[in-house]
Amino acid sequence: MEKYAALREAVEKVELVDGHAHNIVDLDSSFPFLRCFSEAEGDALTFAHSSLSFKRSVRDIAELYGCDASLHGIETHRRSLGLQSISSKCFGATKIAALLIDDGLVSDKMHELEWHKSYVPVVHRVLRIEQFAQKILNEDIPDVSKWTLDMFTETFVTKLKSVADRIVALKSIAAYRSGLEINPNVDKKDAEKGFTEVLSAGKPVRIKNKSLIDHIFICSLEVALGFDLPIQIHTGFGDKDLDLRLANPLHLRALLEDSRFLKCRIILLHASYPFSKEASYLASVYPQVYLDFGLAVPKLSVHGMKSSVKELLELCPIKKVMFSTDGYAFPETFYLGAKRAREVVLSVLCDACDEGDLTIPEALEAAEDIFKNNAIRMYNMNGTINPSGSENAVPHGLAAKERNTAHSDAVFVRIIWVDTSGKHRCRVVPAKRFHDIVKNNGIGLTFASMGMTSFSDGPADGTNLTGVGEIRLLPDMSTKWRLPWSQQEEMVLADMHIKPGKAWDYCPREALRRVTKVLKEEFNLEMNAGFENEFFLLRNVSSERKEEWVPFDSTAYCSTSGFDAASPILQEIFSSLQSLNVPVEQIHAESGKGQFEIALGHKVCTVAADNLIFTREVIRAIARKHGILATFVPKYSLDDIGSGSHVHLSLWENGKNVFMASGGSSRHGISKIGEEFMAGVLNHLPSLLAFTAPIPNSYDRIQPNTWSGAYRCWGKENREAPLRTACPPGIIDGLVSNFEIKSFDGCANPYLGLASVLAAGIDGLRRHLSLPEPIETNPSSFDGEIERLPKELSESVEALEKDEVLKDLIDEKLLTAIIGVRKAEVNYYSENKDAYKQLIHHY
């Protein structure tokens, strides 16, 4: 194998495009974990333990986890770590850069597409046409008895076209329902008869009639042609619902010969096993036929996997063969699919070289094509991921992360957490110790760490936290990155656990997850967030041992010369954020002297909070590298404008923004659930400030006529209102895509801040609150008619102490600590009037 060292390295390192997979489910889903290893179900599943695939795969997973090589050992390990940790570990090991998900395989407690972006940066949808049709009949049609086939067809085609630009492929499971002998010229009367037959069976509708399925398939192909979409077709083996005799792809010949569809790209899934040779033949003689070998790898024996892939390549051109995991339900299925695919393809390519079919350079090209390039071409993905060998290829997604975090030359790893006062803190361990011990076991940290203030490293009175007791800082490996500004160091965000696997009540990241879960379980919603980071760049003009920090420049809002002056710093900041996969939407000079703003793209709120921490770290570090101090303090100089960390929020359901009204149903351009959520935030705003404006200096910023939101109101594009609805470019006039909270600043712990906003929004949804009329002018002109928001931190703390909703949803213990820290802040800064000047070194 030594002569194939370069080929082995290429196969091991190539980033993967997973062309066909399904959604992951929660750990407490009723979907049995044993299904990870077998297509069987029911009583047949009890025999899965004795299959070759089960025995081999259990060892593979146990080796990855470092646990006992048994089903019980793996399941125990999964429960102790939780879904986030095992997903990070599995996907981190796969190097999957893009994931195409058929979300039509509905499982108990499955996660939506957006959730998977926490682990794979590029995630696209594959639409299952039969499930799409059933959904129309089950959910969108109140009285199906009045429907005709024509009415259904028009609705189906219209809805399919409406989502066609948001998917990368169609998918058919005709093989499961009526077989692959699809009639491209299905008689309309037969289809109408089938339609009536399906409806007469009642709801829930399950489409099994062959003529109706053929009709739906042909309609879908016509849409696919119009939008240049390929269609995936299940072929070969699967679970017992399938009649394997009808899943032979040779049955597709009539369809493949139809002149209307010669340009429609067709992907035969699962190596068509056991009809791999037949599939290879079809791909060799029909230009529109392509092959995918997911499911056959890794479900077959090692010999079976190799034989199946070899059979595909007997006749089929290499440019037509593609990788997928067919991962589903469990992160481990993605890991097994990727691991075994690399091993199998390497073995097959080496044999091909030995037998004279390929040269080593040709085998290298084949590996890149099979794992990545063919799929990029097939699914029109050049805009989201570059093909291997491209001169302009840049590190992307998890492949970039793998290169970024390679630890062979790393010296230190920073383990970062954010305390109750919003300060970033870290413990640093040698890289070898981190990977040998700390990665899985964490490091110790005193209880007192979550009771510290902005001015002291001791716990504040009233927090119930002291130096007695210790937690574990457990690294979240999905957040580990190489420091862009210090190439021999890495950083990782940490969760706080009482012991590995059991979260601590005071953990800010867990608090946000906890409230996020309530929103998801009660309302099937997720909140996306995008932060605008305002900060000052200061330079030191100290003389005679007196330290003085002055603005970097004195230019105006959106000044071109101001941007020119800071451009070298800002370019390096942008490049660093790109390397950390943090999306940047805008950069400009702000109104203050030496003030700038960097606006981030929106992400699911848990990811958005992580991105904000990385952004602050990057900005401060790069500025320091240039001899400049960057500070996010709300009001570093009482004579200048303040800095905020405005956050834009939206609500999403099944990958769709549902904050925005769907039509003329709202006078404000907001959906009903959007209005209720936002009304809850407005209702709790005085107490929310204790989270989002957490130090006395925050209230020096929140003043009338400073665009900081000093009054309790909301407005449409009103920058003097603390809550502002926004209609960015591309949104239909009159509708709004999100709302902005202006009273959120750079001293806030983003996990706690977003958790409090979520809690307030949930209360609005539960109580069906309504918004008052928007304020269309400067609220300060109403001369006392509009309630002033807290002018001091003490007023916000007082409101928080009375807020039973936040106490219930955030956790009473954590709230006690927050209130204790805030009261300490109030007392200290009231007694030390100039102490705020030191905050530039902390935030």
Side-chain angles (χ1 to χ4, degrees):
M1 289 296 292
E2 186 57 34
K3 67 177 180 178
Y4 297 127
L7 180 57
R8 176 184 294 278
E9 182 180 8
V11 169
E12 289 176 350
K13 289 188 174 181
V14 63
E15 56 185 2
L16 310 178
V17 175
D18 188 347
H20 181 74
H22 306 278
N23 306 62
I24 288 174
V25 302
D26 271 341
L27 289 185
D28 58 352
S29 169
S30 61
F31 198 81
F33 181 62
L34 193 53
R35 291 285 302 274
C36 177
F37 309 99
S38 174
E39 287 292 288
E41 53 186 309
D43 292 342
L45 192 58
T46 61
F47 293 92
H49 300 79
S50 61
S51 69
L52 300 182
S53 172
F54 174 86
K55 294 179 182 296
R56 180 190 69 237
S57 298
V58 163
R59 291 194 299 272
D60 287 344
I61 297 171
E63 181 181 4
L64 175 69
Y65 287 163
C67 67
D68 179 57
S70 67
L71 183 62
H72 176 73
I74 292 171
E75 290 187 302
T76 301
H77 188 80
R78 298 178 92 243
R79 287 192 296 269
S80 68
L81 284 188
L83 184 60
Q84 182 182 37
S85 293
I86 63 172
S87 297
S88 296
K89 187 177 286 286
C90 288
F91 281 105
T94 64
K95 302 189 189 75
I96 294 175
L99 185 61
L100 312 187
I101 293 182
D102 163 20
D103 59 354
L105 179 61
V106 180
S107 303
D108 177 48
K109 296 185 178 178
M110 79 177 197
H111 289 283
E112 303 298 338
L113 261 69
E114 192 72 20
W115 179 90
H116 298 77
K117 293 181 181 178
S118 297
Y119 307 100
V120 178
V122 178
V123 178
H124 291 300
R125 184 187 183 196
V126 174
L127 185 145
R128 185 182 295 210
I129 58 175
E130 291 85 4
Q131 192 268 350
F132 190 72
Q134 286 177 178
K135 187 174 186 295
I136 291 173
L137 294 175
N138 281 316
E139 300 178 13
D140 297 351
I141 302 174
D143 186 359
V144 293
S145 63
K146 298 179 181 179
W147 275 66
T148 65
L149 178 66
D150 286 341
M151 294 167 66
F152 165 73
T153 302
E154 181 181 357
T155 302
F156 175 78
V157 170
T158 300
K159 285 182 174 287
L160 192 55
K161 288 180 177 179
S162 73
V163 298
D165 61 346
R166 302 198 296 276
I167 60 176
V168 293
L170 301 178
K171 156 84 179 288
S172 172
I173 56 165
Y176 273 95
R177 302 293 176 85
S178 56
L180 294 180
E181 196 171 355
I182 294 166
N183 180 1
N185 299 300
V186 58
D187 187 79
K188 185 178 179 182
K189 289 183 179 178
D190 291 337
E192 286 177 334
K193 182 179 178 181
F195 184 69
T196 302
E197 175 187 304
V198 167
L199 294 188
S200 65
K203 292 187 177 182
V205 170
R206 179 175 169 82
I207 301 174
K208 295 187 292 184
N209 179 272
K210 182 181 184 312
S211 295
L212 180 57
I213 288 174
D214 291 354
H215 175 75
I216 290 169
F217 191 100
I218 298 306
C219 290
S220 300
L221 273 193
E222 291 169 348
V223 173
L225 278 172
F227 286 85
D228 192 27
L229 291 171
I231 184 166
Q232 300 178 345
I233 302 178
H234 182 107
T235 61
F237 74 135
D239 61 49
K240 69 171 185 166
D241 282 351
L242 176 116
D243 185 338
L244 189 57
R245 296 167 298 181
L246 302 178
N248 187 328
L250 292 180
H251 288 304
L252 291 168
R253 188 172 182 276
L255 177 72
L256 299 178
E257 291 284 343
D258 194 297
S259 60
R260 294 172 295 169
F261 306 120
L262 295 180
K263 298 293 185 182
C264 191
R265 305 185 305 283
I266 294 174
I267 304 108
L268 307 181
L269 296 174
H270 313 317
S272 297
Y273 180 84
F275 310 112
S276 301
K277 289 182 179 180
E278 288 88 339
S280 181
Y281 162 72
L282 290 175
S284 71
V285 297
Y286 289 103
Q288 72 270 41
V289 176
Y290 298 77
L291 308 180
D292 175 294
F293 57 76
L295 186 61
V297 179
K299 286 294 190 292
L300 303 180
S301 69
V302 172
H303 172 76
M305 290 187 287
K306 291 179 182 178
S307 297
S308 184
V309 174
K310 283 184 176 182
E311 287 179 349
L312 292 184
L313 292 173
E314 283 184 355
L315 287 172
C316 179
I318 293 170
K319 297 288 185 184
K320 285 188 163 192
V321 177
M322 290 173 288
F323 155 83
S324 76
T325 62
D326 196 41
Y328 57 90
F330 316 107
E332 292 86 353
T333 59
F334 294 83
Y335 169 69
L336 292 172
K339 171 182 167 62
R340 287 298 169 180
R342 291 185 195 273
E343 295 171 358
V344 167
V345 169
L346 175 63
S347 175
V348 169
L349 293 178
C350 288
D351 286 350
C353 291
D354 286 339
E355 293 159 2
D357 286 330
L358 294 175
T359 64
I360 291 179
E362 288 169 339
L364 287 167
E365 181 182 357
E368 296 280 0
D369 284 340
I370 290 169
F371 283 119
K372 181 180 180 183
N373 293 343
N374 293 344
I376 291 174
R377 291 188 290 267
M378 170 60 59
Y379 299 106
N380 296 320
M381 293 173 60
N382 277 308
T384 54
I385 182 169
N386 290 316
S388 302
S390 167
E391 292 182 3
N392 298 318
V394 295
H396 183 87
L398 287 185
K401 184 161 187 174
E402 182 67 19
R403 288 190 280 275
N404 180 293
T405 58
H407 59 266
S408 58
D409 62 342
V411 177
F412 295 132
V413 180
R414 303 181 185 186
I415 305 170
I416 298 173
W417 76 96
V418 186
D419 69 15
T420 314
S421 70
K423 290 168 74 171
H424 296 201
R425 299 179 185 264
C426 73
R427 287 282 188 87
V428 182
V429 296
K432 186 177 186 307
R433 177 175 173 77
F434 177 86
H435 291 284
D436 289 347
I437 299 173
V438 175
K439 179 174 70 172
N440 294 321
N441 300 299
I443 57 173
L445 188 71
T446 173
F447 278 12
S449 294
M450 280 302 286
M452 294 177 181
T453 64
S454 66
F455 59 86
S456 172
D457 286 339
D461 293 339
T463 60
N464 291 339
L465 296 170
T466 69
V468 178
E470 184 168 277
I471 60 162
R472 309 300 295 175
L473 274 182
L474 205 66
D476 176 355
M477 296 300 289
S478 69
T479 67
K480 186 165 77 69
W481 293 99
R482 178 65 58 97
L483 296 188
W485 62 90
S486 180
Q487 285 296 299
Q488 286 191 297
E489 291 186 57
E490 298 172 336
M491 63 179 171
V492 63
L493 300 178
D495 292 318
M496 296 174 167
H497 285 211
I498 288 291
K499 60 181 180 180
K502 184 179 180 182
W504 191 37
D505 294 331
Y506 298 85
C507 176
R509 297 181 87 228
E510 182 62 26
L512 179 55
R513 290 191 202 105
R514 210 162 45 231
V515 189
T516 298
K517 186 177 181 182
V518 174
L519 183 70
K520 179 67 175 178
E521 290 181 348
E522 288 192 25
F523 303 100
N524 194 33
L525 296 173
E526 290 180 320
M527 184 177 77
N528 276 18
F531 285 93
E532 298 174 1
N533 295 271
E534 294 177 339
F535 56 95
F536 281 88
L537 296 178
L538 308 176
R539 55 189 177 87
N540 194 321
V541 293
S542 301
S543 60
E544 298 180 359
R545 299 183 180 180
K546 182 180 179 181
E547 181 182 73
E548 185 177 1
W549 293 90
V550 300
F552 172 81
D553 69 357
S554 300
T555 54
Y557 171 70
C558 284
S559 162
T560 54
S561 58
F563 191 88
D564 279 339
S567 184
I569 299 174
L570 297 174
Q571 285 185 37
E572 192 168 346
I573 288 171
F574 174 68
S575 177
S576 296
L577 291 174
Q578 273 196 313
S579 75
L580 301 178
N581 206 31
V582 175
V584 174
E585 292 193 344
Q586 268 191 71
I587 305 175
H588 64 265
E590 257 296 348
S591 296
K593 297 173 183 176
Q595 189 184 32
F596 294 85
E597 178 182 299
I598 295 181
L600 306 181
H602 71 89
K603 291 285 184 182
V604 168
C605 61
T606 49
V607 177
D610 290 345
N611 285 347
L612 183 61
I613 300 306
F614 289 137
T615 301
R616 292 174 182 171
E617 288 290 307
V618 165
I619 292 172
R620 284 196 289 249
I622 300 302
R624 190 180 303 113
K625 178 180 173 183
H626 287 264
I628 301 294
L629 176 69
T631 180
F632 298 90
V633 169
K635 198 84 168 178
Y636 100 92
S637 170
L638 300 185
D639 298 327
D640 206 339
I641 200 75
S643 286
S645 185
H646 312 156
V647 61
H648 290 256
L649 303 170
S650 54
L651 295 174
W652 293 70
E653 181 179 20
N654 301 330
K656 179 182 178 183
N657 185 345
V658 294
F659 181 81
M660 184 165 50
S662 59
S665 58
S666 169
R667 58 199 173 111
H668 301 309
I670 313 171
S671 67
K672 184 175 185 296
I673 58 174
E675 179 175 350
E676 289 176 358
F677 186 92
M678 187 173 164
V681 175
L682 182 62
N683 185 59
H684 290 273
L685 198 52
S687 50
L688 294 187
L689 292 188
F691 294 87
T692 64
I695 61 173
N697 184 258
S698 300
Y699 299 80
D700 293 326
R701 168 184 166 262
I702 303 175
Q703 298 293 327
N705 306 312
T706 60
W707 293 10
S708 58
Y711 293 88
R712 191 176 183 179
C713 63
W714 76 281
K716 300 177 180 179
E717 300 291 5
N718 184 347
R719 283 170 168 77
E720 278 294 339
L723 303 185
R724 172 179 75 96
T725 56
C727 181
I731 302 300
I732 299 172
D733 188 38
L735 300 183
V736 296
S737 64
N738 65 82
F739 75 100
E740 177 188 28
I741 300 180
K742 303 192 73 67
S743 44
F744 203 121
D745 66 45
C747 294
N749 180 316
Y751 305 103
L752 299 179
L754 290 176
S756 69
V757 170
L758 271 169
I762 288 170
D763 184 48
L765 290 169
R766 285 174 173 173
R767 295 198 286 144
H768 304 294
L769 298 181
S770 299
L771 287 169
E773 288 300 309
I775 299 300
E776 306 290 2
T777 60
N778 189 335
S780 65
S781 65
F782 280 76
D783 193 26
E785 294 178 28
I786 299 178
E787 178 187 345
R788 180 74 159 85
L789 284 173
K791 298 178 181 179
E792 298 177 348
L793 177 57
S794 58
E795 295 177 22
S796 184
V797 171
E798 184 179 348
L800 178 58
E801 287 181 302
K802 299 173 182 176
D803 199 319
E804 294 298 324
V805 170
L806 295 190
K807 185 182 297 184
D808 176 56
L809 284 168
I810 299 296
D811 184 273
E812 189 169 358
K813 289 181 183 177
L814 177 55
L815 216 62
T816 297
I818 292 168
I819 290 170
V821 169
R822 300 295 182 264
K823 287 183 175 180
E825 304 275 4
V826 171
N827 293 336
Y828 178 80
Y829 289 102
S830 65
E831 296 171 2
N832 300 273
K833 298 298 184 183
D834 289 335
Y836 77 91
K837 295 178 181 179
Q838 292 302 308
L839 292 173
I840 59 173
H841 301 292
H842 300 304
Y843 298 98

